[in-house]
Amino acid sequence: MPRTLIQSRKLQLRAESLLPGGVDSPVRAFRAVGGEPPFVARAEGAYLWDVDGNRYLDMFGSWGPMILGHAFPPAVEAIRAAAGRSASFGASHAGEGDLAELVKQCFPSMERLRFTSSGTEACMSAVRLARGFTGRKFVVKFEGCYHGHSDAMLVKAGSGVATLGIPGSAGIPEETAMHTLALPFNDLGAVQAAFDAYPEQIACIIVEPVVGNAGTILPETGYLHGLRQLATKNGALLILDEVMTGFRLSLGGAQQVFGIKPDLTTMGKIIGGGLPCGAFGGRADVMEFLAPLGPVYQAGTLSGNPLAMAAGIATLEHLIAHQGEVYSGLERTSAAMADGVASLAQEAGIAITTTRVGSMFTWFFTDQPVKDFTTAATSDTAAFGRFHHAMMEAGVWLPPSQFEAMFISTAHGAAEVALLLEAARQAFVA
Ligand code: KE4
């Protein structure tokens, strides 16, 4: 029976009279896939319910944070208790050190760290710190990688490899964009060329170690180690943006999976258990360039917020205490989902390239192998849009863009695999 979206439609109309596009973040508007975004009334475990009472299997988990499922009871209890002691002090409290100790336990490379209220702030601050520590202006990033919406990170590739970046959004002056070099992912030659073109001028390389923001794209063998070596050889810092991959791919994120030691790491999403929280950290000698110790300014009214710390502590304590079953379960369920849908597509004669690391995966509607943004962009986004709509009708909520990753939780199990595969079977024959 087709879904009714009557109440959602009313809320959408009101939202559009108040918020640009009716949203607080563009991807939620469903512009990349078409159709109307349902308004969520509540969520629990692996499921979302909209305001018209329709239930959906959640395949994006608030874009990563909800790795233990929605309304995870220990996190809910921790937030409730913290709220009773006031939502914010604007002063030091024990929760900051409690969460920082748990982060350091999982990410030993983070000798010192600082909390922020978002992944954008974490990445923006880490880049400023790298520039301050090295005294250099240029930054290397990669096409298809997203590090939040700070000016220096919203930059597109110039005409040729290692040419000056151009603004990736209105409102960003060329003078700002020009110091960001946007290179192709999985191409060490392009990075070498950048260091040749700008000797001793590049402050850092920032990279999603497994790209999630172009859909899921894996680093080729040796690529991340190659970035590590090039950064060290040229006196630049290596920043791993683990906002998505941190605590997702393993308890120690991508740097644990691939055995890479960055100079700085940025975090978000899971670290706050769904509350606004990010962090950046790494080498103590670098982090001690931050105010109040050093000359690089960085601040935040709600940084280290007691509620976000409480939610993050409850989340990380569970991940640490149950890491064996958590990550083996996520691996089993994710493989069954990713490979199951790929098989159904193949049976239906539909070209799909599946990419996956742990519980982060994407079905690209292309017959090309996907190794960078250019190959990801060969995907048939209209076909993905039709698939997305059919899955919504069947009660499965995929991320509303071909160029996003899917994230599942420990609340997803065999029943959710079966639901997903039946919905996909119907969608492919529709
Ligand atoms: P936030 O400022 O959205 O907390 O984090 C920015 C960020 C930084 N680095 C990586 C690797 C990220 O994936 C993100 C945010 N991811 C997007 C998903 N594509 C958030 C969803 C949205 O923008 O609404």
Side-chain angles (χ1 to χ4, degrees), residues 187-200:
D187 178 346
L188 288 173
V191 181
Q192 181 61 64
F195 280 116
D196 294 344
Y198 303 95
E200 300 184 14

PDB file of all heavy atoms in Angstrom, residues 187-200:
ATOM      1  N   ASP A 187      45.920   8.800  -6.377  1.00  0.00           N
ATOM      2  CA  ASP A 187      46.923   9.147  -7.397  1.00  0.00           C
ATOM      3  C   ASP A 187      48.113   9.796  -6.698  1.00  0.00           C
ATOM      4  O   ASP A 187      48.125  11.013  -6.463  1.00  0.00           O
ATOM      5  CB  ASP A 187      46.288  10.108  -8.423  1.00  0.00           C
ATOM      6  CG  ASP A 187      47.284  10.554  -9.502  1.00  0.00           C
ATOM      7  OD1 ASP A 187      48.506  10.336  -9.309  1.00  0.00           O
ATOM      8  OD2 ASP A 187      46.840  11.115 -10.522  1.00  0.00           O
ATOM      9  N   LEU A 188      49.100   8.996  -6.312  1.00  0.00           N
ATOM     10  CA  LEU A 188      50.262   9.534  -5.578  1.00  0.00           C
ATOM     11  C   LEU A 188      51.089  10.457  -6.460  1.00  0.00           C
ATOM     12  O   LEU A 188      51.712  11.409  -5.971  1.00  0.00           O
ATOM     13  CB  LEU A 188      51.121   8.383  -5.043  1.00  0.00           C
ATOM     14  CG  LEU A 188      50.522   7.594  -3.870  1.00  0.00           C
ATOM     15  CD1 LEU A 188      51.388   6.378  -3.541  1.00  0.00           C
ATOM     16  CD2 LEU A 188      50.361   8.487  -2.644  1.00  0.00           C
ATOM     17  N   GLY A 189      51.078  10.218  -7.775  1.00  0.00           N
ATOM     18  CA  GLY A 189      51.829  11.085  -8.683  1.00  0.00           C
ATOM     19  C   GLY A 189      51.344  12.518  -8.605  1.00  0.00           C
ATOM     20  O   GLY A 189      52.139  13.467  -8.662  1.00  0.00           O
ATOM     21  N   ALA A 190      50.042  12.685  -8.465  1.00  0.00           N
ATOM     22  CA  ALA A 190      49.483  14.046  -8.389  1.00  0.00           C
ATOM     23  C   ALA A 190      49.969  14.744  -7.123  1.00  0.00           C
ATOM     24  O   ALA A 190      50.231  15.951  -7.125  1.00  0.00           O
ATOM     25  CB  ALA A 190      47.960  13.979  -8.418  1.00  0.00           C
ATOM     26  N   VAL A 191      50.121  13.982  -6.046  1.00  0.00           N
ATOM     27  CA  VAL A 191      50.581  14.582  -4.784  1.00  0.00           C
ATOM     28  C   VAL A 191      52.058  14.954  -4.913  1.00  0.00           C
ATOM     29  O   VAL A 191      52.489  16.042  -4.506  1.00  0.00           O
ATOM     30  CB  VAL A 191      50.354  13.618  -3.601  1.00  0.00           C
ATOM     31  CG1 VAL A 191      50.812  14.238  -2.285  1.00  0.00           C
ATOM     32  CG2 VAL A 191      48.882  13.222  -3.511  1.00  0.00           C
ATOM     33  N   GLN A 192      52.851  14.074  -5.506  1.00  0.00           N
ATOM     34  CA  GLN A 192      54.278  14.387  -5.750  1.00  0.00           C
ATOM     35  C   GLN A 192      54.382  15.649  -6.595  1.00  0.00           C
ATOM     36  O   GLN A 192      55.187  16.551  -6.305  1.00  0.00           O
ATOM     37  CB  GLN A 192      54.967  13.210  -6.451  1.00  0.00           C
ATOM     38  CG  GLN A 192      56.454  13.440  -6.722  1.00  0.00           C
ATOM     39  CD  GLN A 192      57.260  13.658  -5.444  1.00  0.00           C
ATOM     40  OE1 GLN A 192      57.359  12.767  -4.595  1.00  0.00           O
ATOM     41  NE2 GLN A 192      57.822  14.860  -5.283  1.00  0.00           N
ATOM     42  N   ALA A 193      53.531  15.758  -7.625  1.00  0.00           N
ATOM     43  CA  ALA A 193      53.571  16.934  -8.514  1.00  0.00           C
ATOM     44  C   ALA A 193      53.250  18.209  -7.738  1.00  0.00           C
ATOM     45  O   ALA A 193      53.840  19.271  -7.981  1.00  0.00           O
ATOM     46  CB  ALA A 193      52.570  16.748  -9.654  1.00  0.00           C
ATOM     47  N   ALA A 194      52.331  18.100  -6.785  1.00  0.00           N
ATOM     48  CA  ALA A 194      51.978  19.278  -5.973  1.00  0.00           C
ATOM     49  C   ALA A 194      53.166  19.715  -5.124  1.00  0.00           C
ATOM     50  O   ALA A 194      53.493  20.904  -5.052  1.00  0.00           O
ATOM     51  CB  ALA A 194      50.777  18.958  -5.096  1.00  0.00           C
ATOM     52  N   PHE A 195      53.849  18.743  -4.512  1.00  0.00           N
ATOM     53  CA  PHE A 195      55.034  19.102  -3.709  1.00  0.00           C
ATOM     54  C   PHE A 195      56.145  19.648  -4.595  1.00  0.00           C
ATOM     55  O   PHE A 195      56.885  20.554  -4.213  1.00  0.00           O
ATOM     56  CB  PHE A 195      55.527  17.893  -2.904  1.00  0.00           C
ATOM     57  CG  PHE A 195      54.740  17.626  -1.646  1.00  0.00           C
ATOM     58  CD1 PHE A 195      54.005  16.458  -1.501  1.00  0.00           C
ATOM     59  CD2 PHE A 195      54.714  18.562  -0.612  1.00  0.00           C
ATOM     60  CE1 PHE A 195      53.278  16.215  -0.337  1.00  0.00           C
ATOM     61  CE2 PHE A 195      53.998  18.335   0.548  1.00  0.00           C
ATOM     62  CZ  PHE A 195      53.268  17.161   0.687  1.00  0.00           C
ATOM     63  N   ASP A 196      56.268  19.163  -5.827  1.00  0.00           N
ATOM     64  CA  ASP A 196      57.274  19.694  -6.763  1.00  0.00           C
ATOM     65  C   ASP A 196      56.922  21.134  -7.153  1.00  0.00           C
ATOM     66  O   ASP A 196      57.784  21.988  -7.249  1.00  0.00           O
ATOM     67  CB  ASP A 196      57.335  18.829  -8.035  1.00  0.00           C
ATOM     68  CG  ASP A 196      57.861  17.415  -7.754  1.00  0.00           C
ATOM     69  OD1 ASP A 196      58.451  17.227  -6.662  1.00  0.00           O
ATOM     70  OD2 ASP A 196      57.641  16.515  -8.601  1.00  0.00           O
ATOM     71  N   ALA A 197      55.615  21.387  -7.330  1.00  0.00           N
ATOM     72  CA  ALA A 197      55.180  22.719  -7.772  1.00  0.00           C
ATOM     73  C   ALA A 197      55.230  23.745  -6.638  1.00  0.00           C
ATOM     74  O   ALA A 197      55.415  24.935  -6.882  1.00  0.00           O
ATOM     75  CB  ALA A 197      53.752  22.635  -8.332  1.00  0.00           C
ATOM     76  N   TYR A 198      55.065  23.282  -5.407  1.00  0.00           N
ATOM     77  CA  TYR A 198      55.021  24.189  -4.249  1.00  0.00           C
ATOM     78  C   TYR A 198      55.972  23.693  -3.158  1.00  0.00           C
ATOM     79  O   TYR A 198      55.530  23.298  -2.066  1.00  0.00           O
ATOM     80  CB  TYR A 198      53.596  24.302  -3.725  1.00  0.00           C
ATOM     81  CG  TYR A 198      52.620  24.783  -4.775  1.00  0.00           C
ATOM     82  CD1 TYR A 198      51.872  23.871  -5.518  1.00  0.00           C
ATOM     83  CD2 TYR A 198      52.501  26.147  -5.063  1.00  0.00           C
ATOM     84  CE1 TYR A 198      51.009  24.292  -6.516  1.00  0.00           C
ATOM     85  CE2 TYR A 198      51.629  26.573  -6.065  1.00  0.00           C
ATOM     86  CZ  TYR A 198      50.895  25.651  -6.786  1.00  0.00           C
ATOM     87  OH  TYR A 198      50.047  26.080  -7.787  1.00  0.00           O
ATOM     88  N   PRO A 199      57.272  23.663  -3.451  1.00  0.00           N
ATOM     89  CA  PRO A 199      58.235  23.132  -2.472  1.00  0.00           C
ATOM     90  C   PRO A 199      58.216  23.946  -1.182  1.00  0.00           C
ATOM     91  O   PRO A 199      58.184  25.167  -1.217  1.00  0.00           O
ATOM     92  CB  PRO A 199      59.584  23.258  -3.190  1.00  0.00           C
ATOM     93  CG  PRO A 199      59.372  24.255  -4.289  1.00  0.00           C
ATOM     94  CD  PRO A 199      57.927  24.194  -4.664  1.00  0.00           C
ATOM     95  N   GLU A 200      58.185  23.216  -0.061  1.00  0.00           N
ATOM     96  CA  GLU A 200      58.209  23.816   1.286  1.00  0.00           C
ATOM     97  C   GLU A 200      57.089  24.828   1.501  1.00  0.00           C
ATOM     98  O   GLU A 200      57.216  25.744   2.315  1.00  0.00           O
ATOM     99  CB  GLU A 200      59.586  24.468   1.547  1.00  0.00           C
ATOM    100  CG  GLU A 200      60.713  23.432   1.466  1.00  0.00           C
ATOM    101  CD  GLU A 200      62.094  24.014   1.824  1.00  0.00           C
ATOM    102  OE1 GLU A 200      62.135  25.132   2.377  1.00  0.00           O
ATOM    103  OE2 GLU A 200      63.093  23.350   1.554  1.00  0.00           O
TER     104      GLU A 200
END
